[in-house]
Amino acid sequence: MAGKQIATAKLPNYPKLKVKFPSSGPAGIQLVESQHKLSFEAGDNIEVLCQDSGMRGCWFRCKILRVSEKCLKVQYDDILDCDGPEKLEEWIPSYRVANPDKLGTRCTGRLTVRPRPLEDSSDCSIEVGAAVDAWWSDGWWEGFVVEYDVFGSGHLHIYFPGENRTLEIERKNVRISRDWIDDKWVEVKGKKCIKSSISSSSMCASMSSSMF
């Protein structure tokens, strides 16, 4: 199974989110044939990147139920189908290319499907400007550390460029961000001048994740 070289992260238990994703994406979505056959199988645990408005930049945890030539049928770990109490299931493209990120730090050509990162990064050193993923609202959101140890709380201010917002996140709910390229994990370059890249309105909108 792909990505086994990384160890399992311990995640908090949050209430399940009920949502229904559109069956077809917006015009302009790029589908490609990968030069490397994805080594996914039914039963594998993966993450799927959402790029819909309101959830841009969030990786949702899934389990593969079926594999076809160009698509995967997945069941979301943390999202319930709005039509019933069951976990949401849907078919997704195997080779959808992610849209370019707002700050230009992500690897070009990365796909919206990847193995689930299993490394527990909670003890890694994180500094201002570091590229991280933050667990919030049933998924791992791509972001950058704007402030560390907010008011001595040990919490972080994380900026999410996909939705242009900043939230206060507990340190235990943050992991180092990586991209999955050519069947390996690639470090994402940080942005030490992150504060100058963020609008003042986004900074003023910062609020504790516990409020959601």
Side-chain angles (χ1 to χ4, degrees):
M1 187 188 303
K4 277 190 174 179
Q5 65 272 29
I6 311 280
T8 304
K10 296 180 181 178
L11 300 179
N13 185 20
Y14 288 108
K16 303 295 184 183
L17 172 70
K18 286 198 173 187
V19 66
K20 193 177 186 74
F21 289 119
S23 58
S24 59
I29 285 179
Q30 183 181 2
L31 302 178
V32 299
E33 291 293 342
S34 174
Q35 296 179 351
H36 303 276
K37 180 177 176 59
L38 296 178
S39 56
F40 295 135
E41 300 176 351
D44 283 356
N45 293 315
I46 64 171
E47 290 184 345
V48 176
L49 179 64
C50 184
Q51 298 188 307
D52 296 333
S53 178
M55 295 182 287
R56 288 180 292 252
C58 181
W59 289 93
F60 289 109
R61 303 186 300 164
C62 306
K63 181 178 181 178
I64 297 177
L65 301 180
R66 293 177 58 189
V67 178
S68 69
E69 184 178 355
K70 297 182 180 181
C71 294
L72 303 172
K73 186 175 185 180
V74 301
Q75 180 185 73
Y76 291 87
D77 288 15
D78 308 288
I79 301 175
L80 299 180
D81 193 321
C82 66
D83 295 328
E86 298 82 12
K87 294 180 179 180
L88 178 66
E89 297 179 5
E90 67 171 354
W91 284 95
I92 60 172
S94 302
Y95 304 110
R96 176 177 292 175
V97 175
N99 297 329
D101 64 296
K102 181 178 180 180
L103 299 180
T105 59
R106 295 285 166 174
C107 296
T108 302
R110 67 183 180 137
L111 302 181
T112 57
V113 176
R114 68 184 187 184
R116 188 177 299 182
L118 299 177
E119 180 179 7
D120 184 355
S121 303
S122 59
D123 294 329
C124 295
S125 176
I126 291 181
E127 58 185 14
V128 172
V132 297
D133 299 331
W135 180 260
W136 176 70
S137 192
D138 298 307
W140 286 104
W141 295 71
E142 296 179 341
F144 293 88
V145 177
V146 176
E147 188 175 351
Y148 189 87
D149 196 24
V150 181
F151 301 118
S153 64
H155 295 184
L156 309 174
H157 273 168
I158 308 293
Y159 172 63
F160 303 120
E163 291 299 325
N164 192 34
R165 69 186 306 172
T166 304
L167 295 178
E168 183 179 327
I169 305 290
E170 289 186 67
R171 175 63 184 84
K172 67 179 182 179
N173 296 332
V174 176
R175 70 184 185 189
I176 299 297
S177 191
R178 297 178 175 88
D179 284 341
W180 180 254
I181 298 292
D182 295 336
D183 295 330
K184 62 179 179 292
W185 292 107
V186 177
E187 297 289 339
V188 177
K189 186 177 180 181
K191 205 169 182 66
K192 291 186 177 182
C193 58
I194 185 64
K195 289 186 178 181
S196 63
S197 303
I198 303 175
S199 66
S200 57
S201 59
S202 172
M203 288 298 294
C204 290
S206 173
M207 55 188 70
S208 172
S209 61
S210 63
M211 297 176 62
F212 295 87

